[in-house]
Amino acid sequence: MGREAGTDFIEALARGLDVLRCFRPGQPTMTLSEIAAVTGLARPTVRRILLTLEELGYVRAADRGFALTPRVLELGMAYVNSLSIWDVARPHMRQLVAETDESTSLAQLDGSDIVYVSRVAVPKIVTLAVTIGTRFPAVATSMGKVLLAALTPAELTAVLAVPSRSGIAARWQPERAELDRELREVRARGWALADQDLAAGIRSVATGVRDGDGRVVAALNVTVHAAETSLERLTDEHLPRLLRTAAAISQDWARLDTVPMAVQRHGDGVPATPPAGHPG
């Protein structure tokens, strides 16, 4: 296979990869002559490559030639396992920030708190700063409401019994009956709103992000300053973009779940802390 390459290019490695790539679905076994024809390499070269790959455990001798071994999966899984679900989400989050000019975050539930696990922020002066690992009382945040709404009644009771470790006294601290009404609305419409429930000046809207089994495993939000953005703009303009972004992330996570040995869903590989911004 002809190719242009720089002085640091290792032709022998490239030829080995060419041999591995020539195996196709429906053709699990190939003869030396067939591999030479597909790759354009000389038969003696193909033979040396195949014997080397066999020694390394990536191919095996078969009835009519050679076949790949399951060890080849390690090459692809090195890439898959190097990604966390948060890394997969970040390009979508950056696009959402570009569309809204507002910060967006992903959070998960930890006891009765939400914990920020990924964030793309825009620089704005706000009441409360947020970094990866920041926690807030779940009931007073849009992301927290989404995550609480995904729980069973028994799970919700157990979660609410856990004291908050956020150190934040939220403005909205509902009784259980009021919270249950709020969560029923969240379940019915598929998204949650927090209008200065956590702290004055902070508004946010959030929705769930799902794994390959359809379970809500995180919440995604858009946060705005109440003095700059009305509730109408938040729900009419930003919410549709948020819902599309959450759906796109969920689709990517579902694809990741279909790969054997894929990364763990919960909390693996939290990226570096981005700039602080507003929460919720």
Side-chain angles (χ1 to χ4, degrees):
M1 295 184 179
R3 56 188 133 226
E4 297 180 4
T7 57
D8 293 328
F9 187 82
I10 303 175
E11 185 66 34
L13 175 59
R15 289 174 177 175
L17 294 175
D18 287 341
V19 169
L20 288 176
R21 284 195 295 263
C22 76
F23 291 87
R24 296 287 188 269
Q27 194 176 12
T29 302
M30 298 183 70
T31 66
L32 190 152
S33 296
E34 289 171 337
I35 295 172
V38 171
T39 61
L41 299 173
R43 283 171 52 93
T45 299
V46 172
R47 179 177 178 277
R48 290 196 301 271
I49 291 173
L50 287 169
L51 292 177
T52 300
L53 292 172
E54 184 178 26
E55 183 70 22
L56 294 173
Y58 292 112
V59 301
R60 60 177 175 81
D63 292 339
R64 294 186 55 253
F66 293 86
L68 299 179
T69 73
R71 189 168 189 177
V72 172
L73 291 173
E74 295 177 359
L75 301 176
M77 291 314 304
Y79 167 73
V80 173
N81 287 329
S82 71
L83 294 175
S84 76
I85 57 176
W86 318 124
D87 295 324
V88 173
R90 283 185 70 78
H92 297 291
M93 296 171 69
R94 285 193 290 267
Q95 179 60 36
L96 179 59
V97 169
E99 294 174 357
T100 62
D101 194 31
E102 302 290 353
S103 298
T104 182
S105 303
L106 275 167
Q108 292 188 294
L109 204 60
D110 182 22
S112 61
D113 295 332
I114 60 165
V115 178
Y116 283 70
V117 293
S118 188
R119 183 163 173 79
V120 179
V122 295
K124 293 194 176 184
I125 300 174
V126 291
T127 307
L128 297 172
V130 171
T131 60
I132 301 303
T134 294
R135 58 175 62 232
F136 293 122
V139 296
T141 67
S142 59
M143 291 192 290
K145 293 175 186 178
V146 165
L147 295 170
L148 293 174
L151 301 178
T152 66
E155 291 171 336
L156 179 61
T157 297
V159 162
L160 295 178
V162 179
S164 172
R165 294 191 285 131
S166 67
I168 300 293
R171 299 180 74 207
W172 188 57
Q173 300 188 32
E175 297 294 330
R176 178 62 186 267
E178 183 181 4
L179 177 62
D180 286 343
R181 287 193 297 272
E182 177 80 5
L183 297 183
R184 280 196 296 270
E185 293 182 10
V186 172
R187 292 187 198 100
R189 65 193 182 196
W191 54 272
L193 181 71
D195 183 15
Q196 306 183 77
D197 293 347
L198 182 64
I202 298 172
R203 284 180 177 146
S204 67
V205 64
T207 191
V209 182
R210 300 176 182 272
D211 65 8
D213 297 323
R215 297 177 298 181
V216 174
V217 293
L220 179 74
N221 79 346
V222 170
T223 309
V224 301
H225 198 292
E228 297 177 352
T229 305
S230 66
L231 283 173
E232 290 73 21
R233 186 182 179 199
L234 182 60
T235 56
D236 294 347
E237 297 182 21
H238 296 338
L239 175 59
R241 297 184 177 105
L242 172 72
L243 294 174
R244 288 195 297 270
T245 302
I249 295 173
S250 297
Q251 290 173 358
D252 280 357
W253 286 3
R255 294 188 189 102
L256 196 62
D257 272 353
T258 65
V259 182
M261 297 167 56
V263 295
Q264 296 299 310
R265 299 186 186 100
H266 302 295
D268 181 39
V270 174
T273 300
H278 41 261

